[in-house]
Amino acid sequence: MPSETIETDSHTLVTIACLSDNYAFLLQDKKSGAVALIDVPEAAPIKAELNARGWTLDQIWLTHHHDDHIDGLPELIADYPARVYGAAADSHRLPPLDVALGEGDRFTLGETEVQVSDVSGHTLGHIAFFAPAAQAAFTADSLMALGCGRLFEGTPAQMHASLAKTADWPDDTLICSGHEYTKSNANFAITVDPENAELIARIRDIDSARAAGRFTVPSQIGLERATNPFLRAHTAGVRAAVGMATASDVDVFTEIRSRKDRF
Ligand code: ZN
Ligand code: FE
């Protein structure tokens, strides 16, 4: 199973392909050596990555309860015991948590501060982890590359409010989302933002990345703001494309989300 690595002076971020189209992530705080795993779709490729690097595992952060994000946990912690972090609101359907989190909570990985946001919508109790010093946010099936997760439990208004919580994240923040869905998201995005030159250019980049076998995740939030229709309900281009020039942002978002469901 392939992986891709982004190195900065202070952190190493490893994106690991799992199952058919899931991603898990390893984040190392270099100063302390502390390592976190974000989501556990399956154990084998994550164990292989940890073994190859000679890393131990300190923390596991769970974004939400879906099987394709937690199923590998029992097998993984048998070899790599770690403290498990997840949403208090989801604790009844997550593996046993050592640390139960909610909106606004903070904790540290070594010297790296991590901020927790409730980003419900895909599920109720989905959380995102933002580590400013690592310039990285782990959004799984909330904010995704050129998309957002399907609304299995929450309302469109809830997802719209959840995505608004990313507004303060700096443009260069890496968006570590849960699946390689970017190409199919792009096929939809262009239908509701057809004149967007940055989107058109991004789709070319996506096609060449996929043709070369490279991941399109993580992306950066600045690029998402410029191209992801689910962050662009307020823009004239999207509003014109869906014929809702004067509607509220939430109503435009709701229309886009329902078109995507039918796409
Ligand atoms: Zn999910
Ligand atoms: Fe998922």
Side-chain angles (χ1 to χ4, degrees):
M1 276 289 193
S3 66
E4 292 185 3
T5 305
I6 296 174
E7 294 275 357
T8 65
D9 289 346
S10 57
H11 295 82
T12 302
L13 175 68
V14 188
T15 305
I16 305 171
C18 295
L19 303 175
S20 58
D21 56 29
N22 277 80
Y23 288 121
F25 302 90
L26 292 170
L27 179 66
Q28 185 194 49
D29 171 271
K30 286 186 178 175
K31 211 169 196 179
S32 64
V35 176
L37 165 68
I38 299 85
D39 284 345
V40 203
E42 59 175 333
I46 298 166
K47 278 192 204 174
E49 192 70 42
L50 289 165
N51 286 338
R53 291 173 183 273
W55 285 359
T56 52
L57 192 58
D58 298 280
Q59 301 177 358
I60 298 172
W61 310 346
L62 301 175
T63 59
H64 67 296
H65 76 279
H66 282 160
D67 292 349
D68 62 310
H69 297 257
I70 65 172
D71 266 1
L73 191 131
E75 185 186 337
L76 185 78
I77 55 175
D79 287 358
Y80 286 93
R83 283 164 70 75
V84 180
Y85 294 65
D90 237 358
S91 56
H92 59 290
R93 52 188 183 175
L94 286 170
L97 300 178
D98 296 300
V99 183
L101 300 164
E103 172 71 27
D105 282 346
R106 286 157 196 255
F107 63 95
T108 56
L109 171 72
E111 305 198 353
T112 302
E113 186 190 74
V114 184
Q115 304 172 3
V116 177
S117 300
D118 182 316
V119 289
S120 290
H122 176 68
T123 62
L124 299 179
H126 192 309
I127 54 177
F129 301 89
F130 173 44
Q135 296 169 298
F138 300 89
T139 57
D141 299 353
S142 59
L143 177 62
M144 308 186 81
L146 277 184
C148 74
R150 189 175 282 265
L151 301 176
F152 288 112
E153 297 180 359
T155 63
Q158 219 164 7
M159 181 62 99
H160 185 256
S162 291
L163 298 186
K165 295 179 183 181
T166 67
D168 294 340
W169 299 352
D171 277 348
D172 59 2
T173 304
L174 295 164
I175 298 301
C176 303
S177 54
H179 294 266
E180 183 61 57
Y181 288 165
T182 317
K183 177 57 182 168
S184 65
N185 287 343
N187 291 342
F188 171 74
I190 196 67
T191 68
V192 292
D193 205 1
E195 313 278 309
N196 183 336
E198 285 176 88
L199 175 58
I200 293 163
R202 185 176 181 186
I203 292 171
R204 253 182 250 124
D205 293 343
I206 291 163
D207 289 339
S208 48
R210 296 309 291 155
R214 282 184 283 114
F215 304 166
T216 64
V217 173
S219 59
Q220 289 195 357
I221 189 101
L223 183 61
E224 296 303 331
R225 288 180 186 128
T227 57
N228 184 330
F230 296 98
L231 295 179
R232 297 177 58 76
H234 61 285
T235 64
V238 169
R239 287 165 164 268
V242 299
M244 298 177 73
T246 59
S248 70
D249 291 352
V250 177
D251 286 347
V252 176
F253 178 89
T254 302
E255 172 63 18
I256 298 168
R257 188 55 259 180
S258 99
R259 285 187 187 208
K260 176 68 161 58
D261 291 341
R262 290 178 267 125
F263 185 70

